Every structure is written in structure tokens, then in C-alpha cells.
Amino acid sequence: MASLPEALSELIHRLSRLPGIGPRAAERMALAIIDKNPAEIAALADALNDAVARVTHCPHCGCLSQDNRPCRVCDDNARDRSIICVVESPLDSIALEKGGGYHGLYHVLGGAISPLSGVLPEDLRISELLARVGDGVVSELILATNASPEGEATALYIRQELDELHERRAAAGSSESLARIRVTRLARGLPSGSQLDYTDSATLQSALDNRTEL
Amino acid sequence: MHLAALTLRDYRNYRILELEFPRGVIVLTGENGAGKSNLLEAIHYLSYLKSFRTSRDKEIVRFGAPYAVIDARFSDEQSHDFEVRLVLKDGKRFVRFNGDDVQKFQDYIGKLHSQFFFPGDLGIVTGDPALRREVLDLELLRLKPQLTKVMNHFRRAREQRNKLLKMIHPQPGVTRDNRELQQSFTAFSEQMVQSGAQLVRERLGITRVLDGLFRPLHRQLASEAGEQVTLDYFSQVTLDPPEGIAASYGEVLAAAAASESSLRYTSVGPHRDDMLFRLGDGRDLKRFGSQGQMRSAALAFRLALCELSRQRMKDDPILMLDDALSEMDDGRKGRLMELAGRYSQVFITSASAREVGQIKRAAGQVYRVANGRVEPY
């Protein structure tokens, strides 16, 4: 991009490093930015800096929050504190919130176990989860990790850890909170609007296993 | 499926070749080395993105030319047209399907179904088990494209498990005491077992279907009277009953733990299974069969794959028989021609004028291949 002013090509270069933005889109964005009035661009720059400086992770659940405060979900007294939905990333909790049907709390793991990518259980917020679960309030854990091999294995891993935690507590004779916590996995089944004969056998089988009363 | 038009540019011995083909039996005749098989190779390449002769794409580009191009138009039983362009350049392949660049070859392979046979092609019987697994998986994906998810799940879980095996056993036979790694290993093993068991069940199912198609075809084509060959899925995992496959897989894995601690990779599962051709008494054809027996089995298997596609997907593959008649007696030649005549399109090459005379009646079109040109005979 020899013909462009250096400052502009630098802007294009920076923009194109963002996910979902190719070189063409970056060019158009950059040209649109320099065409806007200065006040608007100053506001954009402020918003960028502000977001980076102030958006943090909720100290309880790991969801996105601001200024190290608890996130909106954790802060909301109307939420059911006895249920925790465990997800891989903050985006997953946002997706679930959009559904609007869940009223419990979240716990963000920060990924899934993947030895090939160098992610081991110690790199995830699993011990934090176990600490939360041990507080006596939580009665159900929904493991909503992805249906990928990594997500499934992570769910299994947490299940094993909970069983061990339960056994250790039982062995130590501590009786408080030891109604065994219910651990569930999101149901896998037919997507709405789908046809049976086009569905693979695994999905059909899990749809059958998880069938519901009409 | 049939090939309606084919254009080759700088492909093998063809500088430029433009042909249109009818449905039915098409005979290509000409001297050995005239380029008959090159035509079939191009069709095979369009189907599978690889040659049946060479793994080196460079050999396919006409000597001195920068790249080779294959353009083809196919038509399925419902008269849907498909256009494919394949460019081979500097050892790379570029594929265009109906005007769109194909990014993942995996999504493309299998769209244009063809089956190819030549007498030396005993590979399906005698070759590496990976070859037979690949054929079974390809057929499964044709029947149930969604199985690609299961296959990927299994492969990925196995790769993660292998990585963990290497982390837990930094040296063969050495075991690190790390609870987190052990628990992760258990979790990924379970993932591998569940998806692996599903893959085994599907492979077992398709092997049984193919066996049912294969047996009568084999009876008709086998040269030696009375010999019987069957297809049998082979696994270290107990296959009966199918519901017990996952449990058995888990047990076999547990029993292999000691050997895996020194191997440091997953030694049991569908990635190690095989499909065997068994003689009537249960012996393995590739070890105890004659060349003739293996040849009949390989041909009958190719035809069984054609039948599978014809019956289950209502789409005939393009059948290519390269010099397949030359070593058959007249009775078997007749039977093969009868079977082949049922498919939408069959390409048969032959260097023998006598043979062409024999099959001419069944052929829709005979072409003469010579000096890089292909002309109606």
C-alpha cells in the first residue's frame, strides 16, 4: 500500500488484525473513520480506551463486568443462586442470556481442556468453580460446555472433580451441604424446524434419550 | 451420474482434448500407451482428487506445460448438472465446483461418484487396511454426510488423548504422577470411546450391507466355480451385540493401558480396524487366496460399491473398467457386460480388436484413441 499515507495504512493494518475484518473491509472502515467529524472520532477513541481500561471479569463468575465490580447477573438479587451454569467463554453466557429463559448464575471457565493447544485443567477456572459449589447454596450445576471433544471432556472432568470433592467431604465427616449436587448437561436433540430423516444417528439417539412429555 | 462433457488441457499426453459423452457403455480402444487410461485417470481425479497411478501431480501435467486443466460437466439421475474445473499447478490443486472455489477438499470428495477397476488393482484386497477404512468411510459419508461430525469428534478426541499419553508418559514406560493429567486422560478416553463406538457401529452396518451386495456379484464373476468370499468387519473390539461396542472398546483400552504406556499412542479403535475378504472357510483371502480369486473379489467389491450407490442413493456411479476384460473367459466377459450395462455410464478400455468386436453390440459408442486424439471409431 505504497500510495497511501503512512498513518492511514497503519490504521488499516491495525483494523485488519481484528477478527472478521479482511483487508478490504479494513480499508473501507479506515476511510470512513477519517471522513467522520473529529468529535465523533474522539468519542470512538475514548470508547476504545474506556472499554479496554474498564471492562474486567466478574470476580465471582468470570463473565464480563466493569471496574472489577460483580457482573449484572451476579449483582441481580432476583437471580436464583442455587443454580450455576458453567460455560467456556463469556460469549456463551451472553448467548444464553439472549434466550432469556435462564435465571440462575454463571461460571466462565475461560476455555476447555485441550492438551494439543496447551490448555490443561489448571489453566481454567475449575478450582474457583469447586470453591463456589462448596458454599452450601448451590444445588445444581449445568455443564454447558460445547459439544466438541474438548467441551465434553471438560464437562466429564468437572463431574469427576465434583465426585471426588463429595467423597473427600463425606470421608471428613462434614455433613453440611452434602445433599449431592445435581449435575446436568444441556440436552442435545433436534434443532427446531429440522427433519427426522436428515438427522444423524447420534443426534437422533440423544433426542430419543432426552425426549419429553407432550 | 454420467459425464456429459470433458475437456483436458495439457493433461498427460493431451495438449487439448474436447469430448462429449453419451450415457451407456463407452468403449475406448487403441494401442497400449495411446492414452486410454489417461482419460479414465482424469475422471477418477475429478472424483477423488487423486490419481490411481501416481501420488505425484507433476507427472500429470504434460511435459513442458505450466499446468494442467480438467473441465467437466456431470449430470445426475435427476438431470442436475454439475460443473467442475480442476487445475494442477506446481504440485497444487485448485478445484471449482459449480463456479465456487472449493476450500475444503473433504467437502468435495465423493460428490462425483465413480468406481474404477483394472486387473492389477488388487490393492483393495491386499493393500493397507487404511485403504479399506477410507473406502468404507467415504461410502458412509455419501450415505450419511452428518457422520463427518462423528469422524472428526473421534479423530480429535484421539489426538488429544495421544497428546495426554505423551504428557503422562514422558518416556516409554515412565509414568508421571499427576492427577489432573490422569483425570483429563479419562475424560478424553471416554469421548474417544463413545464416538469411536458409533463409528464402528456404522462401519459394521455398511460392511454387512456391502457383503449382501457383494456375494451374488462375486458368484457371477468368480472364475473358479463354487468358491465363496464374504466381507467381514474386523476389530479388536467385540462387535456383537452392537449396543455393547462402547463397553467392549472401553475394556479393550483398559487392557491395553500397559502397552500404551510404552507406545504412547492409541493402539485400539476404528482407526486400526479393517475389512477382511474371507474365504469360505474363514481364512483371509489376501493371505491364502490366489491372484485370480483376489482379482474376482476386487472387481465384485467395486461393483458392490456401485450397487450400494444405485440402491441407497438412487444414483449410479460412473463405472470405469480399465482393460478389465483382457484376462476373462468369454462367459465372464458376457456376465460383466450384462452387469455393467445396467449403469448410467460405463467406460471400458481395450487394446484388443477381437474384444471390441465382442462387446461392440452392447456399446453405445466406440472411440479410437491415438496420437493424443480421441475420435469416434
Side-chain angles (χ1 to χ4, degrees), chain A:
Chain A
M1 245 167 272
S3 58
L4 291 177
E6 254 170 60
L8 183 58
S9 59
E10 171 69 8
L11 177 59
I12 293 170
H13 172 67
R14 293 286 156 199
L15 288 170
S16 69
R17 291 178 57 168
L18 297 171
I21 297 176
R24 276 295 295 156
E27 244 174 76
R28 291 178 55 200
M29 283 171 79
L31 290 170
I33 287 170
I34 54 171
D35 262 1
K36 292 253 185 242
N37 76 54
E40 205 170 322
I41 292 312
L44 174 63
D46 286 348
L48 280 172
N49 281 320
D50 214 33
V52 172
R54 297 184 61 194
V55 173
T56 54
H57 293 280
C58 168
H60 305 303
C61 72
C63 285
L64 297 177
S65 65
Q66 200 164 309
D67 302 325
N68 286 313
R69 288 199 303 267
C71 68
R72 284 186 173 179
V73 173
C74 289
D75 218 17
D76 182 352
N77 282 325
R79 304 288 292 215
D80 181 349
R81 286 172 192 273
S82 69
I83 307 179
I84 294 181
C85 179
V86 180
V87 294
E88 289 183 22
S89 85
L91 285 176
D92 298 329
S93 65
I94 293 169
L96 281 158
E97 279 302 288
K98 276 185 191 151
Y102 176 67
H103 304 293
L105 301 180
Y106 291 98
H107 189 88
V108 176
L109 292 171
I113 305 172
S114 173
L116 286 168
S117 326
V119 181
L120 294 174
E122 64 200 26
D123 304 311
L124 304 173
R125 299 178 70 249
I126 293 176
S127 50
E128 288 90 333
L129 174 66
L130 296 174
R132 282 180 84 184
V133 167
D135 68 2
V137 178
V138 177
S139 63
E140 179 175 355
L141 215 54
I142 305 170
L143 300 178
T145 50
N146 291 330
S148 63
E150 294 78 14
E152 298 279 8
T154 305
L156 271 172
Y157 182 91
I158 292 171
R159 160 97 255 185
Q160 294 168 11
E161 290 284 304
L162 283 168
D163 288 347
E164 283 195 13
L165 180 70
H166 178 79
E167 276 161 31
R168 275 205 302 277
R169 290 231 176 154
S174 118
S175 60
E176 79 337 316
S177 89
L178 284 191
R180 195 182 271 255
I181 290 164
R182 186 173 176 226
V183 181
T184 54
R185 185 98 178 92
L186 286 186
R188 267 192 290 166
L190 301 174
S192 24
S194 65
Q195 273 182 287
L196 276 193
D197 54 348
Y198 282 102
T199 310
D200 66 288
S201 54
T203 306
L204 262 181
Q205 190 57 50
S206 57
L208 266 175
D209 292 344
N210 304 314
R211 68 189 184 277
T212 51
E213 295 282 344
L214 185 67

Side-chain angles (χ1 to χ4, degrees), chain B residues 2-7 20 71-75 81-84:
Chain B
H2 80 279
L3 174 64
L6 179 72
T7 303
E20 293 199 354
D71 275 300
R73 194 174 76 246
F74 292 83
S75 203
D81 276 359
F82 304 96
E83 284 187 6
V84 187

Side-chain angles (χ1 to χ4, degrees), chain A residues 113-117 120-122 147-150 152-153 156-157 160-161 164 198-203, chain B residues 144 146-147 149-150 153 156-157 159-160 163-164 167 179-181 183-184 186-188 190-191 198 202:
Chain A
I113 305 172
S114 173
L116 286 168
S117 326
L120 294 174
E122 64 200 26
S148 63
E150 294 78 14
E152 298 279 8
L156 271 172
Y157 182 91
Q160 294 168 11
E161 290 284 304
E164 283 195 13
Y198 282 102
T199 310
D200 66 288
S201 54
T203 306
Chain B
K144 303 180 180 177
Q146 320 87 332
L147 282 177
K149 273 189 273 177
V150 178
H153 197 100
R156 183 77 181 163
E159 286 167 357
Q160 296 281 19
K163 176 75 185 175
L164 282 164
M167 293 169 89
R179 203 181 59 90
E180 281 201 346
L181 290 181
Q183 299 246 48
S184 306
T186 309
F188 276 107
E190 178 63 16
Q191 284 308 303
Q198 200 195 341
E202 296 284 356

